[in-house]
Amino acid sequence: MSWNTAIHGYCRYQSMFGFFIMTLKEIFTLDALNHAYYECGKMSRWKESTQRYGANLLLNNKNLREELLAGKYKASPMTKFRISERGKIRDIEAPAMRDRVVQKVLCQKVLIPYLTKSLIYDNYASLKNRGTTMARKRIVAFLRRFIMEQNRKGKNPNDGYILQMDIRHYFPSIDHEVLRKLVHDRISEPKEVLDLIDYIIDISSDSNKGVNLGSEAPQIFAIYYLSQVDSLVKNVLGVKKYGRYMDDMFIIHEDKAYLETIRDNITQKLAELKLQPNQKKTHIVKLSHGFTFMQIKYNIVNGKIIRRPTHTKIVRERRKLKKFCRMKNEGRFTSRQIYDFYRSWLNGIDKDCKNWNRTKMAMQELFFTLFPDIEKKRTYIRNVEIFRFMRHNAEDFPHVWLDDYLKLEGGFE
């Protein structure tokens, strides 16, 4: 092994611990840019911008790499639009395909490996193998642990409390100077990489505050920005039952006064980051009274965790079913498509909620009232499955003939 190879391998080993990082030439290889394009275009192959960039992929990536290495890279104007998420209007700024490719490579090779290394385990948003499912599982695990601890102490588990905190206008309030300092403390060299990261931070909004929704790099910045709050709660204050999904935090404890002290400490830390808590969504709630987290309503009743979907979630689905009924009458959807949509939503709720049978029966009644043809065909298919089972066990049911039953009309459109 040559001396240069040994030195290069040593630098790569040291980079695992944050002392060194690759140069732009090593980061933005043609293979990395090509792979990033296919990753970015997975769900947007039909878009004109994706197809236009992919038509001359090698040439576009070659020119993009030359701009990056020469320090002449400039981002294209973003596409701005609005979406309504659960009744809340959000302003989205979507970057062009070439800029998405740059951010994808930068996130995969720099931001995610180096910034997420110091994140706590109970940080659930926008990371691989995490998300809403993990957040809901972890809060249930914390509640179960709290119930066992209270039972072990001979106390009533219904007497516990939960502190929920939310940041006021989180994404628009992220300060660029504070964010740059946090990133520079974690990634110290080389300068050309830091200059590119600083440039992406600067173009993420028109002022010195805020990062845009719709880009991958700002999502990583937003996760890392509150890492000092996580460190304060977990390492300094020693809180065990703590979790965070982006800017939504929760802490479970038996003492309300203790949670009030924790809330004040977090508020003080947020002030250092130039953030403010959302007073309407920051509160301490008794566990027996119930609380909402990630669109699930949680209660502790007699030491048992009760999980139900929120009222707004049910109302939204009922309105959607009525709209589907009108669209089916117009010929825009088939019965099979509507049934698949509904079953997908139903299975998603069943995965996280175990105590909503009464509401589920009401939803089923509404669905099959709006779509009586699906009820008839669903009954047919259920009976076919029963007959297949009975025929498979012909010794127990010798008088059953499935072929005669299959002559009936059924199935989906």
Side-chain angles (χ1 to χ4, degrees), residues 126-366:
S126 300
L127 294 175
K128 188 176 180 180
N129 299 326
R130 304 192 189 186
T132 57
T133 300
M134 178 181 176
R136 290 164 179 165
K137 287 182 177 179
R138 289 294 291 171
I139 195 169
V140 171
F142 284 141
L143 290 172
R144 286 174 178 165
R145 190 180 305 170
F146 176 79
I147 292 173
M148 288 189 295
E149 291 175 356
Q150 292 295 93
N151 290 335
R152 199 176 298 121
K153 296 176 183 178
K155 298 181 180 180
N156 188 354
N158 298 348
D159 295 336
Y161 297 88
I162 182 171
L163 166 64
Q164 291 183 280
M165 295 192 69
D166 183 84
I167 311 299
R168 180 176 180 271
H169 302 315
Y170 179 51
F171 276 82
S173 300
I174 294 178
D175 187 82
H176 288 188
E177 286 299 325
V178 176
L179 177 59
R180 270 194 288 266
K181 184 180 183 303
L182 293 174
V183 173
H184 288 200
D185 290 343
R186 192 65 186 172
I187 305 173
S188 57
E189 54 183 330
K191 185 177 182 302
E192 56 183 2
V193 177
L194 288 176
D195 290 341
L196 178 60
I197 295 175
D198 291 344
Y199 175 70
I200 291 178
I201 293 175
D202 291 336
I203 65 174
S204 60
S205 72
D206 298 331
S207 62
N208 293 328
K209 277 195 171 186
V211 294
N212 63 298
L213 290 169
S215 302
E216 184 172 2
Q219 295 285 334
I220 305 301
F221 293 145
I223 296 172
Y224 183 70
Y225 195 76
L226 290 176
S227 60
Q228 291 191 356
V229 176
D230 299 337
S231 179
L232 169 69
V233 175
K234 296 287 287 186
N235 301 329
V236 178
L237 301 178
V239 177
K240 301 297 183 183
K241 303 172 185 66
Y242 166 80
R244 177 168 70 87
Y245 188 94
M246 197 57 78
D247 62 325
D248 295 328
M249 297 170 275
F250 69 86
I251 300 174
I252 300 173
H253 199 267
E254 60 180 336
D255 189 1
K256 184 177 181 180
Y258 176 79
L259 292 178
E260 291 175 348
T261 304
I262 296 292
R263 180 192 59 195
D264 296 338
N265 290 332
I266 293 177
T267 303
Q268 184 178 356
K269 192 64 178 180
L270 291 176
E272 297 177 6
L273 299 174
K274 299 183 180 181
L275 298 174
Q276 296 178 353
N278 189 332
Q279 299 299 334
K280 293 183 179 179
K281 297 182 179 180
T282 299
H283 42 250
I284 300 176
V285 184
K286 198 169 184 179
L287 293 177
S288 58
H289 292 170
F291 64 94
T292 300
F293 181 72
M294 304 298 296
Q295 302 183 55
I296 303 296
K297 179 76 172 180
Y298 297 89
N299 294 78
I300 291 185
V301 179
N302 298 326
K304 181 180 179 182
I305 303 172
I306 307 297
R307 289 173 282 171
R308 299 187 182 94
T310 59
H311 176 71
T312 54
K313 194 177 185 72
I314 298 299
V315 171
R316 193 181 305 115
E317 185 63 21
R318 292 175 69 90
R319 291 174 179 172
K320 188 182 294 185
L321 290 178
K322 294 175 183 178
K323 187 175 182 179
F324 273 143
C325 184
R326 294 193 298 269
M327 298 174 77
K328 178 180 179 295
N329 296 334
E330 297 170 0
R332 298 168 61 182
F333 282 99
T334 64
S335 299
R336 177 73 194 205
Q337 291 173 321
I338 296 174
Y339 186 69
D340 289 342
F341 290 146
Y342 175 67
R343 288 299 305 175
S344 175
W345 177 84
L346 206 62
N347 292 337
I349 301 295
D350 278 335
K351 182 175 63 175
D352 298 313
C353 301
K354 307 299 181 182
N355 311 93
W356 74 300
N357 290 334
R358 185 178 301 178
T359 306
K360 183 178 179 180
M361 291 175 61
M363 289 295 297
Q364 295 278 58
E365 183 179 354
L366 172 65

Side-chain angles (χ1 to χ4, degrees), residues 94-150:
M97 176 54 70
R98 67 193 300 271
D99 303 322
R100 292 174 60 192
V101 169
V102 171
Q103 292 193 25
K104 174 65 73 173
V105 176
L106 191 64
C107 287
Q108 289 180 342
K109 293 196 173 185
V110 180
L111 298 182
I112 293 178
Y114 290 90
L115 296 186
T116 62
K117 199 180 301 182
S118 61
L119 297 181
I120 63 172
Y121 179 73
D122 288 292
N123 191 326
Y124 314 117
S126 300
L127 294 175
K128 188 176 180 180
N129 299 326
R130 304 192 189 186
T132 57
T133 300
M134 178 181 176
R136 290 164 179 165
K137 287 182 177 179
R138 289 294 291 171
I139 195 169
V140 171
F142 284 141
L143 290 172
R144 286 174 178 165
R145 190 180 305 170
F146 176 79
I147 292 173
M148 288 189 295
E149 291 175 356
Q150 292 295 93

